[in-house]
Amino acid sequence: MKVGVPTEVKTDEYRVALTPAGARELADAGHEVLVQHGAGEGSAISDADYAAQGASIVPDADAVFAQAEMIVKVKEPQPEEVARLRPHHLLFTYLHLAPAPALTRGLMASGATCIAYETVEDARGRLPLLAPMSEVAGKIATQAGAFMLEKPLGGRGILLGGVPGVAAANVMVIGGGVVGMRAALIAIGMEATVFVFDRNIDRLRELDSEFGGRADTCFATTLAIEERLPEIDLVIGAVLVHGAKAPHVITRRQLTLMKPGAVLVDVSIDQGGCFETSRPTTHTDPTYEVDGITHYCVANMPGAVPITSTHALTNATMPYVVQLANDGVVRAVQDNPGLKPGVNVVAGKVTYAPVADAVGVPY
Ligand code: NAD
């Protein structure tokens, strides 16, 4: 199969979907790898690094899409990329379609087969292609939140870990999955006082054991969140209902319960955001304020640390890329049932129920 790797074009996105190691695996399996000139630059990978492992370098995105059968990307296709998709293409990338009706309709109109990294499952129903980026985003969430709490940046002016004789800041993490656990572990490491809220009691048990008493676990009811909010300096929103639009766990009215200058970090923004007042931001302009509360809602947080993120992502995606190239989508899905929920759009139809429900198209 001809596998194409375009340069990412989303604002402030520096990751690339394949490393030279991946190019080597594909080339050794007899596939042709077409990498857009400069695609790896943001991740400190040169054209020569790819060429040395058997990839061909092509001049621009038009050439990648014109020649390749499978397109491997990182972020959801931007409008100019959707326009290049054709019915014979297999697109493998993050899509996050539930909060994106225009993109969903664009992919339907393209006729392409579109597999979303974030809804591929493993044998235990976990999300193996979301997890590595969630690990990165969780760690960034606490770093970014701590920074935005600084007074010159509009924050309350409190140091996350406090100092001897002065109390630490209070951090609330809502959603204790992959993002939430990493965010909490960094907050614990920075010596903040940490509360992790989740609706899954088994998950709270696991977290309780992982934290060994260094953070409190809390069942996430509206009342429990409201009761804790007045003392919180930093909230990290990290809830996920697989493939669906994020539920709102803090409303605009509840912002009035918070201290002025407190910070909300909405990691779930790629699924539409878990705070009512969230809207997507970029690394260049990451925050805005609503009712005295700083909002940080960057939709591609791992894109800021591409040297870490590209390798973490491709370690997870590469076996799937090789399987899809070797077997084609039909046989790959038969042999690897976890790929099936990844298939979101085929030949003009949405094939994944949570997206169809959210976007309002037939399933
Ligand atoms: P996960 O499935 O591992 O964890 C989600 C957790 O949320 C689960 O433990 C679940 O029980 C909990 N939850 C669901 N509904 C809840 C509710 N109403 N109240 C409290 N808890 C609730 O997911 P994850 O991998 O940690 O991802 C979390 C979110 O972060 C996803 O939307 C993901 O797409 C997003 N993400 C964003 C970025 C970014 O750059 N912004 C990067 C990576 C991941």
Side-chain angles (χ1 to χ4, degrees), residues 15 75 94 96 118 127 130-138 174-181 197-201 203 207 219-221 225 237-242 244 246-249 266-273 283 296-303:
R15 286 171 286 180
K75 286 309 287 183
Y94 287 116
H96 300 289
E118 73 277 4
L127 306 174
L130 182 64
M133 294 303 91
S134 290
E135 288 163 350
V136 174
I174 309 179
V178 180
V179 168
M181 186 172 97
F197 286 71
D198 202 292
R199 289 207 162 218
N200 178 335
I201 293 190
R203 183 60 183 160
L207 291 172
F219 188 70
T221 62
I225 290 172
V239 304
L240 176 66
V241 178
H242 289 194
H248 287 162
V249 292
D266 193 340
V267 188
S268 304
I269 191 66
D270 54 358
Q271 292 294 137
H283 288 290
Y296 174 103
C297 306
V298 176
N300 59 337
M301 294 169 73

Side-chain angles (χ1 to χ4, degrees), residues 96-114:
H96 300 289
L97 294 180
L103 173 59
T104 306
R105 287 178 197 283
L107 294 180
M108 290 165 72
S110 77
T113 300
C114 307

Side-chain angles (χ1 to χ4, degrees), residues 42-361:
S43 300
I45 302 170
S46 68
D47 287 353
D49 295 334
Y50 285 111
Q53 302 308 325
S56 306
I57 307 303
V58 298
D60 52 28
D62 282 337
V64 174
F65 282 76
Q67 294 177 47
E69 298 156 274
M70 170 156 56
I71 306 289
V72 188
K73 273 182 49 58
V74 178
K75 286 309 287 183
E76 71 280 0
Q78 304 301 296
E80 68 266 36
E81 296 176 311
V82 176
R84 291 189 188 103
L85 285 171
R86 298 287 175 267
H88 71 276
H89 279 136
L90 170 59
L91 173 68
F92 192 39
T93 189
Y94 287 116
L95 289 174
H96 300 289
L97 294 180
L103 173 59
T104 306
R105 287 178 197 283
L107 294 180
M108 290 165 72
S110 77
T113 300
C114 307
I115 306 183
Y117 290 160
E118 73 277 4
T119 58
V120 171
E121 295 182 4
D122 67 13
R124 290 170 56 189
R126 296 173 307 185
L127 306 174
L129 305 188
L130 182 64
M133 294 303 91
S134 290
E135 288 163 350
V136 174
K139 290 187 167 187
I140 294 178
T142 308
Q143 275 179 205
F147 190 45
M148 295 307 162
L149 277 170
E150 292 181 13
K151 194 77 177 167
L153 292 160
R156 294 194 65 233
I158 186 168
L159 182 65
L160 220 58
V163 290
V166 183
N170 292 319
V171 176
M172 171 189 274
V173 178
I174 309 179
V178 180
V179 168
M181 186 172 97
R182 296 296 147 194
L185 286 172
I186 296 297
I188 290 167
M190 292 172 89
E191 302 186 335
T193 302
V194 183
F195 305 90
V196 182
F197 286 71
D198 202 292
R199 289 207 162 218
N200 178 335
I201 293 190
D202 285 334
R203 183 60 183 160
L204 291 175
R205 281 195 187 99
E206 287 168 9
L207 291 172
D208 188 59
S209 150
E210 174 74 30
F211 296 149
R214 295 172 297 161
D216 280 353
T217 54
C218 315
F219 188 70
T221 62
T222 303
L223 180 60
I225 290 172
E226 281 187 356
E227 284 179 343
R228 187 64 69 181
L229 267 184
E231 69 200 53
I232 295 298
D233 301 287
L234 168 62
V235 181
I236 294 169
V239 304
L240 176 66
V241 178
H242 289 194
K245 265 188 101 167
H248 287 162
V249 292
I250 294 185
T251 62
R252 179 158 194 169
R253 187 190 59 74
Q254 289 168 330
L255 297 187
T256 60
L257 301 171
M258 300 183 69
K259 302 173 193 173
V263 173
L264 298 180
V265 174
D266 193 340
V267 188
S268 304
I269 191 66
D270 54 358
Q271 292 294 137
C274 66
F275 309 132
E276 188 183 0
T277 41
S278 294
R279 58 175 166 78
T281 60
T282 62
H283 288 290
T284 311
D285 190 11
T287 59
Y288 60 94
E289 190 200 303
V290 178
D291 299 342
I293 306 297
T294 301
H295 290 55
Y296 174 103
C297 306
V298 176
N300 59 337
M301 294 169 73
V305 288
I307 291 173
T308 305
S309 300
T310 286
H311 292 282
L313 174 63
T314 57
N315 286 344
T317 54
M318 193 185 57
Y320 292 86
V321 173
V322 172
Q323 185 176 29
L324 285 165
N326 283 347
D327 299 342
V329 66
V330 173
R331 219 181 90 203
V333 166
Q334 275 166 5
D335 292 352
N336 183 351
L339 263 174
K340 188 161 186 284
V343 182
N344 277 215
V345 180
V346 179
K349 289 206 164 53
V350 172
T351 51
Y352 183 64
V355 169
D357 291 346
V359 173
V361 295

